[in-house]
């Protein structure tokens, strides 16, 4: 799916996150925020200097670059396929 800043991506509650809001797209990175629905949160493999920080109120901020998929909560894969100017192509799928 193609996204731009301000877009909101709904994901299944079983992923442990609420709707993911795209806050910025630039360079090779996409920045996103989402509420955390459960008591824990984990991310692995976010490339391009990716990182995660906890926000007040049970949320998370992600910054991921193009490349290999990030695995969130061991149940969801998020891949930044490409960044084109102010938009990006994301692929979100369950971990198989």
């Amino acid at each position: 799916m193609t996204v731009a800043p301000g877009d909101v991506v709904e994901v299944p509650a079983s992923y442990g996150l609420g709707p993911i809001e795209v806050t910025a797209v630039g360079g090779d990175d996409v920045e996103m925020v989402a509420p955390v629905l459960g008591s824990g949160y984990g991310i692995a493999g976010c490339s391009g200097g990716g990182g995660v920080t906890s926000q007040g109120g049970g949320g998370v901020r992600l910054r991921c670059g193009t490349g290999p998929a990030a695995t969130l909560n061991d149940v969801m894969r998020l891949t930044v396929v490409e960044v084109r100017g102010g938009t990006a192509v994301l692929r979100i799928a369950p971990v198989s």
Side-chain angles (χ1 to χ4, degrees), residues 10-24:
E10 297 284 338
V11 296
S14 61
Y15 289 174
L17 296 176
I20 300 170
E21 180 183 353
V22 178
T23 57

Side-chain angles (χ1 to χ4, degrees), residues 17 20-24 29-34 41-44 46 49-55 59-65 70-72 76 78 92:
L17 296 176
I20 300 170
E21 180 183 353
V22 178
T23 57
D29 293 335
V30 179
E31 293 185 20
M32 299 158 275
V33 294
Y41 177 80
I43 183 170
C46 202
V52 60
T53 57
S54 180
Q55 296 182 159
V60 67
R61 180 174 302 273
L62 303 165
R63 183 171 58 88
C64 295
T71 302
L72 290 87
M76 179 184 116
L78 185 148
I92 297 174

Side-chain angles (χ1 to χ4, degrees), residues 1 9-12 14-17 20 32 44 68-81 89-96:
M1 75 191 69
V9 179
E10 297 284 338
V11 296
S14 61
Y15 289 174
L17 296 176
I20 300 170
M32 299 158 275
T71 302
L72 290 87
N73 293 336
D74 295 325
V75 294
M76 179 184 116
R77 286 194 189 279
L78 185 148
T79 307
V80 178
V81 178
V89 177
L90 300 182
R91 183 177 301 129
I92 297 174
V95 172
S96 48

